[in-house]
Amino acid sequence: MFTNEEIATFNELEMLIYKYVMQNKEKVIYMRIRDLADEAHVSTSTIMRFCRKINCEGFSEFKVKLKLAMDEKSDISIKSGQYVLAEFFERTQNEKFISKLEDAADTISKANHVYFIGIGSSGTLAEYGARYFSSLGTFSTYLKDWYTPIHANLNNSITIALSVSGENEFTLSHIHKLKEKNSKILSITNNAQSTIAKISDKNVSYYVTEEFFESANITTQIPVIFILEELARRVYEKSRKLD
């Protein structure tokens, strides 16, 4: 309903309207312009200027757009966990997927050090992945700060990059820095056609339907946990055979 650019143009009085609308959306859609002016302690002309700033010809059009935005949010349906799990296993429990896991585990087992990167929920899982791998004997490090200077040669290391979309600009820049220092890249993404997947040395994709709630990506991360744990277990089994 309101873009960051529009909000940045609001003066002090227009900001009063904005704050009142955001806190009282259900009431505002039924108000007359005079009612809103009284409640927000501004003039009707200020409200008209406010409406024009957000590309509405008048208060009536503003109320219609506000109602549509509210209805759109109320129509969001969230899939059950059982559905997304069934979708994941249906698409991945096959010889091709198992072969990808085995190949990735083989590459990880040959590395001297394992790094994990990711941001947002992927960052949380990257930290979990590093802990899980370390718990199974493969010492791993989660690189939380992508601005950390990297001067060492990372030859014989592998970086496991997590990203649902495979397009996150911070993760991409982090990957470029690590590749420049000779670290191999194994990405875990939702789509093998994403930029991060394509620039990686190896990729494991899980293909579940992406879900969003308002501006938040709420795509299930259960497949990522499964992949991380399965990789860690396979790497452990390979290390046992070598011993």
Side-chain angles (χ1 to χ4, degrees):
M1 185 68 195
F2 302 98
T3 66
N4 292 335
E5 290 76 14
E6 289 169 345
I7 295 172
T9 67
F10 294 162
N11 60 32
E12 188 175 343
L13 293 177
E14 291 162 349
M15 190 58 73
L16 290 176
I17 300 170
Y18 167 74
K19 289 179 179 178
Y20 183 86
V21 170
M22 295 304 294
Q23 294 170 3
N24 302 275
K25 293 188 288 288
E26 293 79 6
K27 289 171 57 177
V28 172
I29 58 176
Y30 298 109
M31 282 182 168
R32 298 172 302 171
I33 189 170
R34 170 49 61 189
D35 297 330
L36 178 58
D38 291 342
E39 292 291 334
H41 308 294
V42 297
S43 66
T44 55
S45 59
T46 299
I47 294 176
M48 290 302 294
R49 286 196 300 272
F50 174 85
C51 292
R52 286 192 290 270
K53 277 193 175 182
I54 58 172
N55 298 312
C56 294
E57 292 185 5
F59 186 58
S60 296
E61 184 181 351
F62 168 74
K63 289 195 296 181
V64 170
K65 286 188 175 181
L66 181 61
K67 179 68 163 59
L68 288 172
M70 290 170 61
D71 290 344
E72 185 178 315
K73 289 181 181 179
S74 65
D75 287 340
I76 296 173
S77 61
I78 306 300
K79 295 177 181 177
S80 70
Q82 289 179 323
Y83 175 90
V84 295
L85 268 179
E87 180 185 32
F88 166 62
F89 285 117
E90 181 181 338
R91 294 183 181 180
T92 59
Q93 291 308 289
N94 53 62
E95 188 176 333
K96 183 178 179 181
F97 183 74
I98 300 302
S99 177
K100 273 184 172 285
L101 285 179
E102 185 64 19
D103 182 48
D106 189 56
T107 302
I108 295 169
S109 67
K110 294 174 181 176
N112 290 337
H113 198 89
V114 181
Y115 300 102
F116 279 84
I117 62 172
I119 193 170
S121 59
S122 292
T124 301
L125 289 180
E127 187 169 9
Y128 170 76
R131 177 63 180 263
Y132 197 85
F133 268 71
S134 294
S135 296
L136 278 173
T138 302
F139 182 67
S140 306
T141 306
Y142 168 49
L143 302 178
K144 185 174 184 178
D145 183 0
W146 59 86
Y147 291 118
T148 300
I150 303 174
H151 300 303
N153 189 326
L154 302 181
N155 196 23
N156 295 324
S157 74
I158 186 166
T159 298
I160 301 178
L162 308 185
S163 174
V164 177
S165 67
E167 303 294 344
N168 186 277
E169 60 182 275
F170 296 109
T171 304
L172 276 167
S173 66
H174 211 168
I175 287 173
H176 288 310
K177 286 171 64 176
L178 291 159
K179 282 179 75 74
E180 285 176 356
K181 296 300 180 179
N182 301 318
S183 178
K184 287 185 178 179
I185 307 296
L186 164 64
S187 60
I188 300 175
T189 61
N190 190 37
N191 186 346
Q193 301 306 311
S194 63
T195 304
I196 287 176
K198 288 180 177 179
I199 67 172
S200 301
D201 298 291
K202 295 186 182 296
N203 171 258
V204 178
S205 295
Y206 44 95
Y207 292 106
V208 296
T209 304
E210 283 198 62
E211 290 186 276
F212 292 86
F213 183 79
E214 298 182 8
S215 60
N217 188 327
I218 59 165
T219 304
T220 180
Q221 296 282 278
I222 295 173
V224 181
I225 295 174
F226 171 82
I227 292 168
L228 288 172
E229 294 190 0
E230 186 65 17
L231 286 174
R233 291 169 185 269
R234 287 172 182 264
V235 171
Y236 171 71
E237 288 299 324
K238 290 178 182 295
S239 66
R240 283 185 61 192
K241 290 177 182 178
L242 289 174
D243 292 340

